[in-house]
Structure formats: structure tokens, C-alpha cells
């Protein structure tokens, strides 16, 4: 579990977050920035899935095509989704950082959830279904932190409107 948290969680999410720092965030809305972050996670998750697929094909050869199709299907509906959601959480952290209201907890959640997902998805027993619970929790955290960021923007705009009206 420690290995999954450090290598898959910390390393992958930190690299992904540094790549997402290249996304323009000054002139776009929170909604657009979150969508761009999740798209970045989707593409990186898809790239990782292709690498796993090629490694699996190389290890099994042509006789393992059925298991290869199963691997593609499972990774498409789990791994790519967790990468997108964790990138969304990291994007919300970046958004808050650029707005000088740094909320580091979304990035910490991204690290922990990515590590937990990889830990549970590595099991061949029933424990692997906890990976689905991790995905659902990541989706809930994305929604919660998006609403918090959106509400903080709304309260700032109301404050600015009040200042303008007092003049």
C-alpha cells in the first residue's frame, strides 16, 4: 500500500499537476478549467492504459487476446476515470492557488485516492471492488471541491459589488 501511495499516488499526481500548470487559468472560468484538467487526466490515463495494454500483449502473446480485451474494458471504465477525477482535484488545487486562496486538500485527496485505487485494483479477489468505492469517493470529492471553489468566487463577486455600490 505504501508503494502504491508513493509511486502511483505521489509521483504520478505530482507530475500530472506540474503538467497542468501549463494550462491557462487566468482568463477562463472555473468550469472550463476543471473540464480542461479532467481532459488532461483523461488523456494521460488513456496513455497509461495503452502502455499497460502493450506490456500485457508482449507478456501474453497472441494466445491472451480474450484477457487483453477484458483488460482494455476494465481499464477504460476504471483507470481512465480515476485519472480524470484525480486530475480534476489537482486542477481545483491549481485554480485555488492562482486565486491566492490555496486549498491544498484536493491535491492531497488526489494523491491518496490514486494510490488507494492502484492498491485495490491490484487484487484478484473481492478486494478489487473497493477500487470502485475509491472512484465514487473521488467523484464526490470533485463535486464538493468544485462547489466550494464556485461559492468562494460567488462570495468574492458579491463583496466587489457591495464595494462598488458604496462608492
Amino acid at each position: 500500500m505504501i508503494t502504491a501511495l508513493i509511486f502511483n499516488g505521489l509521483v504520478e499526481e505530482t507530475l500530472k499537476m506540474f503538467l497542468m500548470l501549463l494550462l491557462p487559468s487566468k482568463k477562463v472560468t472555473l468550469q472550463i478549467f476543471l473540464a480542461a484538467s479532467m481532459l488532461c487526466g483523461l488523456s494521460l490515463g488513456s496513455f497509461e492504459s495503452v502502455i499497460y495494454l502493450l506490456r500485457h500483449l508482449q507478456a501474453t502473446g497472441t494466445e491472451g487476446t480474450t484477457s487483453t480485451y477484458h483488460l482494455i474494458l476494465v481499464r477504460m471504465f476504471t483507470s481512465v476515470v480515476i485519472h480524470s477525477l484525480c486530475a480534476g482535484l489537482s486542477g481545483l488545487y491549481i485554480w485555488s492557488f492562482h486565486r491566492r486562496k490555496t486549498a491544498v486538500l484536493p491535491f492531497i485527496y488526489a494523491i491518496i485516492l490514486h494510490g488507494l485505487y492502484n492498491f485495490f485494483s491490484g487484487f484478484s479477489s473481492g478486494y478489487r471492488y473497493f477500487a470502485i468505492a475509491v472512484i465514487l469517493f473521488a467523484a464526490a470529492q470533485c463535486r464538493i471541491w468544485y462547489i466550494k471553489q464556485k461559492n468562494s468566487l460567488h462570495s468574492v463577486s458579491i463583496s466587489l459589488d457591495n464595494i462598488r455600490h458604496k462608492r
Side-chain angles (χ1 to χ4, degrees):
M1 182 181 227
I2 298 297
T3 304
L5 286 172
I6 291 172
F7 289 115
N8 299 114
L10 182 64
V11 173
E12 280 188 38
E13 289 305 317
T14 302
L15 289 173
K16 194 184 319 175
M17 191 250 325
F18 281 131
L19 282 174
M20 288 190 310
L21 285 171
L22 300 173
L23 293 174
S25 66
K26 300 280 185 196
K27 297 180 181 182
V28 296
T29 64
L30 174 61
Q31 217 172 9
I32 292 171
F33 190 76
L34 179 63
S37 298
M38 293 179 83
L39 186 61
C40 181
L42 180 84
S43 61
L44 291 172
S46 297
F47 177 71
E48 184 180 292
S49 292
V50 168
I51 291 172
Y52 276 108
L53 173 68
L54 291 174
R55 194 174 79 190
H56 189 277
L57 282 173
Q58 189 178 28
T60 60
T62 57
E63 63 273 356
T65 55
T66 305
S67 66
T68 303
Y69 292 136
H70 184 286
L71 176 72
I72 293 170
L73 190 64
V74 169
R75 286 200 61 87
M76 186 171 56
F77 286 108
T78 59
S79 176
V80 174
V81 173
I82 196 68
H83 277 86
S84 297
L85 292 171
C86 288
L89 287 168
S90 295
L92 290 169
Y93 162 70
I94 293 168
W95 177 267
S96 71
F97 180 78
H98 285 300
R99 300 302 181 273
R100 309 252 191 276
K101 296 181 187 257
T102 305
V104 74
L105 206 53
F107 182 63
I108 292 171
Y109 274 133
I111 291 169
I112 292 170
L113 292 173
H114 192 144
L116 285 175
Y117 167 79
N118 279 357
F119 175 72
F120 287 122
S121 66
F123 285 102
S124 58
S125 64
Y127 288 119
R128 70 175 171 220
Y129 294 109
F130 281 110
I132 295 170
V134 171
I135 292 170
L136 294 174
F137 187 74
Q141 286 302 311
C142 253
R143 173 88 172 135
I144 289 167
W145 285 100
Y146 170 76
I147 290 172
K148 283 183 181 183
Q149 292 292 332
K150 189 176 176 182
N151 288 342
S152 74
L153 282 175
H154 184 67
S155 67
V156 168
S157 68
I158 289 173
S159 301
L160 290 175
D161 288 341
N162 289 339
I163 292 170
R164 287 182 193 140
H165 288 299
K166 288 180 182 178
R167 288 186 191 175

